[in-house]
Amino acid sequence: MPARERAYHDLKYRILEGRLPPGTTLLETEVASLLSLSRTPVREALIRLEEEGLVDVRPRHGITVRALSIEEIEQIYQVFSTLEVKAAQLTARRGISAADYERLDGILSQMERATKRGDIAQWSELDDLFHAELVALCGNPRLQGMLRQLWDQQYRARIAIAGLRPLPVISDKEHRAILAAIRAGDEAEATRLHQQHRDRADTLLLSLLRQQQGQPSGG
């Protein structure tokens, strides 16, 4: 992998996983030292990360990892969830193969076992995989590309409240119902169920973020 790609992926991973939390400020030389790379590939990586909204770059002053406000996160979810619901509708319209269904069913079974163990971290990884698989089956590359652009921002918000969320028993049931509707080719029901799921999950996430930051829960 070229040095600039290594720098980009390494930094992005550290930011998304919270190893470089919001507000972290580093000089370009410090970033290069952290990654054991020269400044040129690091500079190129930082430009990409700034374009994606993950860092602010100030010449001669280094970088600061961006912190998103609750309002910004809410706006991101309004777009992200709308696109994901559309993807579920399109997937139901196109239909899924028996192999696709077995793969998705297997992911849900693993999620249910993680819920019983109280393993939120494992459940969250599988949740990302389940939603990504549904989007991958929708047949619309432009929609998929737009969701990928927003994924990083919503992922950071989810990581931030991972330790606060209740056991996802309701989400497990909702996922089962969504998959059943998609398997049946019922796009209206798949759309309705996925919208209901996203609305509830997004409201919970925003409420937990406000709780974490000591803000009123709001609507």
Side-chain angles (χ1 to χ4, degrees):
M1 185 183 293
R4 64 178 180 276
E5 290 296 318
R6 274 200 297 132
Y8 167 75
H9 289 291
D10 193 345
L11 274 174
K12 189 171 187 176
Y13 175 79
R14 291 169 188 256
I15 292 169
L16 294 181
E17 294 296 328
R19 298 185 184 188
L20 291 175
T24 299
T25 298
L26 294 169
L27 295 172
E28 190 177 280
T29 52
E30 291 176 313
V31 178
S33 176
L34 179 68
L35 303 181
S36 300
L37 291 169
S38 65
R39 292 175 64 179
T40 299
V42 165
R43 188 176 300 120
E44 293 174 356
L46 292 175
I47 291 171
R48 286 179 65 183
L49 292 170
E50 183 175 41
E51 290 172 350
E52 294 176 11
L54 292 176
V55 301
D56 290 320
V57 178
R58 292 191 300 159
R60 296 181 299 282
H61 292 280
I63 64 137
T64 300
V65 178
R66 282 202 66 206
L68 294 173
S69 68
I70 297 290
E71 290 71 25
E72 286 177 305
I73 294 170
E74 185 170 15
Q75 291 166 10
I76 288 166
Y77 266 96
Q78 286 170 351
V79 180
F80 183 86
S81 294
T82 299
L83 292 173
E84 201 180 70
V85 169
K86 186 65 178 178
Q89 179 191 9
L90 293 174
T91 300
R93 182 183 300 173
R94 295 181 81 224
I96 59 174
S97 67
D100 290 332
Y101 173 77
E102 291 299 326
R103 186 172 67 257
L104 291 165
D105 179 73
I107 294 170
L108 293 186
S109 294
Q110 292 180 66
M111 291 170 73
E112 289 158 355
R113 290 194 290 271
T115 298
K116 289 179 180 178
R117 294 194 307 270
D119 190 344
I120 297 296
Q122 178 67 17
W123 184 93
S124 294
E125 289 182 13
L126 292 164
D127 182 49
D128 284 336
L129 179 60
F130 176 76
H131 284 267
E133 289 281 349
L134 285 185
V135 171
L137 292 168
C138 80
N140 186 325
R142 289 181 182 274
L143 188 152
Q144 292 163 346
M146 293 175 72
L147 278 169
R148 279 195 297 270
Q149 291 176 23
L150 294 165
W151 188 88
D152 296 338
Q153 302 291 6
Q154 64 87 33
Y155 180 76
R156 280 206 296 167
R158 288 180 56 199
I159 287 293
I161 55 89
L164 297 175
R165 66 174 303 153
L167 287 176
V169 175
I170 296 174
S171 285
D172 287 340
K173 293 178 180 177
E174 290 173 344
H175 288 145
R176 283 286 176 195
I178 292 166
L179 180 56
I182 288 174
R183 187 188 193 190
D186 190 340
E187 61 179 283
E189 183 68 354
T191 301
R192 184 187 72 82
L193 289 171
H194 209 316
Q195 185 68 64
Q196 179 178 291
H197 170 62
R198 293 289 353 169
D199 287 346
R200 185 193 60 77
D202 294 355
T203 298
L204 173 64
L205 179 135
L206 290 166
S207 176
L208 291 175
L209 282 172
R210 290 188 177 98
Q211 175 186 324
Q212 184 186 58
Q213 296 185 15
Q215 297 182 20
S217 292

